Amino acid sequence: MTANGVFAVDPWELRETRLDLDGLARSESLFALSNGHIGLRGNLDEGEPHGLPGTYLNGVYERRPLPYAEAGYGYPESGQSVINVTNGKILRLLVDDEPFDIRYGTLHFHERVLDFRAGTLRRTVEWTSPAGQRVRIVTQRLVSFTQRAVVGICLEVEPLGGEVRIVVQSELVANEDLPAPVADPRAAAALRNPLVAEWSEADGLRGTLVHRTRHSGLRVAAAMDHVVDAPAEVATSAEASDDWARADVTTVLRPGERLRLVKFVSYGWSQQRSLPAVRDQVAAALTAARHTGWDELLVEQRRYLEDFWDRADVQLDGDAELQQAVRFALFHVLQAGARAEGRPIPAKGLTGPGYDGHCFWDTETFVLPVLTHTLPRAAADVLRWRHATLPLARDRAGQLRLRGAAFPWRTINGEECSGYWPAGTAAFHVNADIADAVLRYLDATGDREFEREVGLELLVETARLWRSIGHHDLDGHFRIDGVTGPDEYSALADNNVYTNLMAQRNLLGAADAAARDPARAGELGVDAEETAAWRHAAVAMMIPYDEALGVHPQAEGFTRHQGWDFAHTRPEEYPLLLHFPYFDLYRKQVVKQADLVLALQLCGDFADPDQKRRDFEYYERITVRDSSLSACTQAVVAAEVGHLGLAYDYAAEAALLDLRDLTGNTRDGLHIASLAGTWISLVLGLGGMRDHGTLSFCPRLPEGIDRLAFRIVRGDARLRVEVLRTGATYELVAGSTPLTLRHHDEEVKLDVGASRTLPLRPTPRLPRPAQPPGRAPARRSGLPGR
């Protein structure tokens, strides 16, 4: 069992062994189903009780005002919030006129299982009504990976006592009442009744609702249809109104008989298409789903996931809970991006309304590395979405009196939604993060068509931004002043090392890409003078260094700031942003999340191993991890510099963040970047993988993990890596050409079907570095059973 005693430890599923009504909102996030286009929170089928109802469509949002006490030039005028669209999950059940409600009667058995291989949420209940009728109810739910507009739900009911009359009420409900938001600025703003009815219809067992959002003007359609299998006569009816459609099925069951009802739901939305077009779109999706049938939908779902796990699985021996957590993480990362197709991957995926459903830099820096090496098509789709928002990014740059493109800090449709500019607009590194994702995708896939159509323009416009923001000083250094790096506890800093190194990579990458395709570069107005200016700026990039301390300051002057008073900071005062003014945070040495350490991971060539260790240990003492983005990065660099036990602890923290609700806000949705960070911690951390044109590995295993195995997709090649204490084995299981990689400093060339086993290098034993008081990660190694 996991620490909270609710979830059983199983390598391929998340099994809830008892129902915790106080933790419903959290479990609804954990049991969410999605395909990147549709997202369903894991609400109970009967609709009540619930923690937070949620049905989401990627890209469907409502506008809301962003009020300011004092207006300022360039402040965004409106925000965007993801909305709870029409709920098609509801299947109410009446047993001899008694509504099935787990709060009444007697609940004998309740189990829910999220199956990572089947892609389904299965629920089994045995319940006795207040009138004494005992029934078994089994439901299974999926959001299809193969038919992206389709949701399927199968309900089976059987009596466990005498004859019973069963009524099933299947509903579509729009504008559901939502609970008031908690007092936390990270929680989403609740929007009441955002949908305006345009059309409704009920016919047979089919129902359709079409709505339009009040302010953003998006048209949303939802439709349902049913297939009923019962041993006796069935009575049916249906009706619809503006915000509600219902189909009723009534029958009588005797002992040993079973009612089976399959519900298909389809969704569609558009900003431009007409009502008839959107209505017909969901009708067609329903027709296709009925033609496929429930059983074949299950088969398609399993086949899709078999292929995914064949490319993406990570195996661990020695820590069963972490094994479960990494597959849970990969499953949800897949769900967040598999069928996003021209839409963003929000920070919470489609599992909840946290962060208003916005997409941040998290996507490119944490999620896309996983997808690039497991499902590269999905990574390309997200970057195509960024490319589609280039006109808005150019407009924003122009508004800020800059050249190139300034991509938003947080957004749904491509417009900036951050009303706090020091941590939003000034965090220009998001532009280099996008460029970095482009470069890593190109290195991993060699997709020159993508480079010509999408990649080159993204690289060019972001490179232009850096030449516009930065300047050459009197000493010839290229400076980028007054920006905010990943650490949001330090704003408006000069020469943030992470930002400068990532901008350097952006500038050189853009120049190289333009040289590869001069014709396309010319179409974008790039000439030799501009690329020379990019290269000049990159070579002259200012990288501050503190000679006295022998470390890189996070930004110029950072190591001269006053230290934070950790000794007098109480445990309940974390996260600091909720208890201290930003002014105090900005002028002290306290780090919210990995910043300089993230530079060591992503741009590690700028420092030698001894320098990396000094930098890492310095920032360990002042990093409080008030962000879920930090642990995985600290895991990677801890492993690289030799702190394997600490790396293991951080990897487990990233993996268990939501399963154990370590930040206390899983109720608002899962932390998709931290889940992606589980893969990063293990593959880049313990596996030591780096991909800068050539794949390289420096694998190592901490005490408590006896074996690590993972797979990497690179072009049409599939590489399997297995790390034991006796050595690492590399096997090229598929591909059209040999693959060259590096194991430590040794070059390894693999033919298709061939494998090589090489010894691991010993890892030095180093004293464990200190963290701020009370902020050390939970110890993983040395636990019972490890």
Side-chain angles (χ1 to χ4, degrees):
M1 303 291 289
T2 54
N4 58 20
V6 174
F7 302 115
V9 173
D10 185 283
W12 284 107
E13 62 188 27
L14 183 67
R15 181 185 300 270
E16 182 186 59
T17 55
R18 62 178 174 85
L19 188 62
D20 177 13
L21 290 180
D22 293 332
L24 267 182
R26 181 172 66 96
S27 66
E28 288 164 355
S29 296
L30 298 173
F31 286 124
L33 292 176
S34 175
N35 59 10
H37 179 65
I38 302 169
L40 307 181
R41 283 177 61 80
N43 306 117
L44 301 181
D45 306 278
E46 60 272 21
E48 297 178 13
H50 59 244
L52 181 62
T55 301
Y56 311 107
L57 296 177
N58 196 346
V60 174
Y61 66 94
E62 184 58 302
R63 292 190 182 277
R64 57 184 176 85
L66 285 177
Y68 300 98
E70 296 183 19
Y73 178 81
Y75 286 13
E77 296 180 358
S78 66
Q80 302 159 16
S81 291
V82 65
I83 61 171
N84 179 34
V85 299
T86 308
N87 183 359
K89 301 186 291 288
I90 296 177
L91 288 168
R92 303 191 195 277
L93 177 66
L94 286 88
V95 179
D96 276 352
D97 299 329
E98 288 277 2
F100 167 54
D101 189 320
I102 57 174
R103 295 168 295 188
Y104 302 94
T106 303
L107 186 63
H108 304 282
F109 180 83
H110 193 281
E111 180 181 82
R112 287 189 290 178
V113 178
L114 183 65
D115 190 320
F116 311 147
R117 288 181 290 193
T120 58
L121 176 61
R122 187 173 68 253
R123 180 186 182 204
T124 304
V125 182
E126 289 188 11
W127 175 78
T128 297
S129 73
Q133 286 285 9
R134 184 163 177 165
V135 293
R136 177 183 292 119
I137 305 160
V138 179
T139 61
Q140 200 167 9
R141 180 188 299 174
L142 66 80
V143 177
S144 177
F145 287 118
T146 57
Q147 300 184 36
R148 78 168 193 162
V150 170
V151 171
I153 308 171
C154 180
L155 166 71
E156 295 183 345
V157 184
E158 61 176 307
L160 298 179
E163 181 179 278
V164 62
R165 177 176 290 102
I166 296 293
V167 179
V168 179
Q169 298 175 320
S170 177
E171 299 183 5
L172 294 175
V173 181
N175 289 319
E176 291 179 289
D177 287 335
L178 298 175
V182 296
D184 183 337
R186 297 168 297 179
L191 299 178
R192 302 293 178 181
N193 300 321
L195 298 171
V196 178
E198 289 194 317
W199 194 81
S200 63
E201 181 183 59
D203 181 19
L205 287 177
R206 180 175 288 214
T208 306
L209 299 178
V210 181
H211 289 79
R212 196 174 185 89
T213 55
R214 293 181 185 276
H215 304 294
S216 57
L218 306 178
R219 179 169 283 120
V220 178
M224 65 178 179
D225 202 355
H226 305 80
V227 177
V228 180
D229 182 8
E233 182 180 352
V234 173
T236 63
S237 63
E239 54 186 317
S241 62
D242 284 353
D243 288 345
W244 171 78
R246 188 179 76 200
D248 295 337
V249 174
T250 305
T251 191
V252 175
L253 297 177
R254 296 176 176 84
E257 295 180 338
R258 181 180 301 170
L259 168 68
R260 185 185 198 235
L261 180 145
V262 174
K263 179 178 186 177
F264 298 108
V265 187
S266 63
Y267 290 94
W269 71 272
S270 177
Q271 192 168 31
Q272 298 180 340
R273 290 198 298 274
S274 67
L275 189 157
V278 177
R279 181 192 63 204
D280 292 349
Q281 174 188 349
V282 295
L286 273 186
T287 300
R290 285 199 54 147
H291 178 265
T292 303
W294 170 253
D295 293 337
E296 186 58 31
L297 272 180
L298 289 174
V299 171
E300 289 181 358
Q301 193 86 335
R302 186 173 285 274
R303 285 175 180 163
Y304 185 98
L305 284 162
E306 284 174 354
D307 178 66
F308 172 72
W309 291 116
D310 186 58
R311 287 180 282 108
D313 193 21
V314 175
Q315 297 174 322
L316 287 169
D317 289 353
D319 191 331
E321 186 183 22
L322 188 54
Q323 174 66 87
Q324 177 189 42
V326 68
R327 287 188 175 131
F328 171 84
L330 282 168
F331 179 71
H332 274 292
V333 170
L334 172 69
Q335 289 200 128
R339 301 299 303 272
E341 295 172 0
R343 299 294 166 194
I345 296 179
K348 297 287 189 179
L350 298 178
T351 67
Y355 301 114
D356 283 319
H358 291 168
C359 170
F360 296 75
W361 69 291
D362 310 12
T363 298
E364 281 78 15
T365 302
F366 296 91
V367 181
L368 291 200
V370 183
L371 294 177
T372 293
H373 291 289
T374 58
L375 194 66
R377 173 191 53 77
D381 284 342
V382 174
L383 292 172
R384 289 182 187 279
W385 166 74
R386 285 290 194 186
H387 183 262
T389 68
L390 256 177
L392 292 172
R394 289 194 187 97
D395 289 346
R396 180 63 172 165
Q399 184 183 32
L400 299 174
R401 301 175 185 267
L402 299 169
R403 295 186 63 229
F407 285 96
W409 176 244
R410 54 188 302 170
T411 189
I412 293 177
N413 76 345
E415 296 174 318
E416 179 62 75
C417 289
S418 174
Y420 184 63
W421 68 270
T425 296
F428 285 101
H429 68 84
V430 64
N431 300 281
D433 300 327
I434 293 167
D436 181 68
V438 170
L439 293 170
R440 291 180 190 278
Y441 174 80
L442 292 174
D443 283 345
T445 65
D447 188 346
R448 295 307 165 201
E449 181 180 356
F450 172 88
E451 182 176 36
R452 178 173 178 77
E453 294 178 354
V454 173
L456 179 57
E457 191 169 14
L458 286 172
L459 293 171
V460 164
E461 295 294 3
T462 47
R464 284 171 171 161
L465 183 78
W466 296 118
R467 282 290 292 130
S468 180
I469 292 176
H471 71 283
H472 290 276
D473 64 15
L474 296 178
D475 296 324
H477 295 119
F478 188 77
R479 301 177 57 89
I480 301 176
D481 296 330
V483 299
T484 301
D487 171 30
E488 295 159 25
Y489 287 172
S490 298
L492 307 180
D494 294 343
N495 295 303
N496 171 258
V497 171
Y498 173 84
T499 301
N500 285 18
L501 287 171
M502 293 291 281
Q504 181 184 62
R505 176 167 164 77
N506 189 168
L507 290 161
L508 293 174
D512 291 344
R516 284 193 296 270
D517 193 345
R520 175 62 179 143
E523 293 171 3
L524 299 173
V526 178
D527 57 23
E529 182 178 354
E530 185 170 26
T531 57
W534 294 343
R535 293 186 189 278
H536 182 208
V539 171
M541 189 67 67
M542 176 68 172
I543 308 299
Y545 189 73
D546 188 322
E547 296 285 352
L549 293 175
V551 298
H552 289 91
Q554 182 172 280
E556 200 168 27
F558 178 82
T559 50
R560 297 293 179 258
H561 288 180
Q562 182 181 356
W564 184 265
D565 186 2
F566 291 111
H568 292 92
T569 303
R570 300 188 305 274
E572 63 270 19
E573 291 181 309
Y574 293 97
L576 299 179
L577 79 162
L578 299 182
H579 300 93
F580 295 90
Y582 273 116
F583 163 74
D584 208 17
L585 296 169
Y586 288 166
R587 64 196 185 96
K588 303 285 182 63
Q589 286 195 63
V590 58
V591 177
K592 179 182 181 183
Q593 64 201 69
D595 186 312
L596 189 283
V597 174
L598 184 58
L600 295 176
Q601 175 192 322
L602 296 180
C603 306
D605 293 345
F606 84 100
D608 63 33
D610 288 338
Q611 182 65 63
K612 288 182 183 179
R613 179 182 54 77
R614 292 196 301 274
D615 284 347
F616 175 78
E617 292 177 355
Y618 184 89
Y619 287 95
E620 273 295 284
R621 296 193 296 270
I622 58 175
T623 300
V624 295
R625 296 196 320 288
D626 280 350
S627 166
S628 62
L629 302 180
S630 196
C632 66
T633 298
Q634 289 170 273
V636 171
V637 182
E640 182 175 357
V641 301
H643 296 294
L644 292 186
L646 184 59
Y648 184 12
D649 297 342
Y650 279 135
E653 181 173 298
L656 296 170
L657 186 84
D658 287 313
L659 286 172
R660 292 192 174 184
D661 198 11
L662 297 179
T663 54
N665 61 356
T666 296
R667 70 181 310 276
D668 298 320
L670 302 179
H671 298 76
I672 299 300
S674 183
L675 294 175
T678 306
W679 183 93
I680 290 171
S681 300
L682 297 173
V683 175
L684 276 62
L686 302 185
M689 190 190 90
R690 299 292 185 273
D691 187 3
H692 301 289
T694 299
L695 274 176
S696 63
F697 299 88
C698 296
R700 49 191 66 81
L701 290 179
E703 178 188 349
I705 296 180
D706 302 318
R707 171 178 169 268
L708 170 67
F710 55 89
R711 297 183 177 217
I712 295 297
V713 174
R714 187 173 175 82
D716 68 348
R718 296 191 185 187
L719 176 70
R720 182 178 181 274
V721 181
E722 182 178 41
V723 185
L724 301 170
R725 299 196 181 280
T726 54
T729 299
Y730 304 93
E731 180 185 8
L732 186 58
V733 296
S736 58
T737 60
L739 177 67
T740 300
L741 57 86
R742 299 194 70 82
H743 171 81
H744 295 290
D745 295 328
E746 181 177 350
E747 184 176 283
V748 179
K749 186 174 183 179
L750 293 174
D751 293 320
V752 178
S755 65
R756 286 279 305 277
T757 300
L758 299 162
L760 304 187
R761 287 191 178 177
T763 302
R765 290 188 174 273
L766 302 172
R768 189 180 177 98
Q771 292 78 34
R775 305 306 289 170
R779 291 290 183 106
R780 196 72 186 170
S781 56
L783 292 177
R786 300 283 181 264

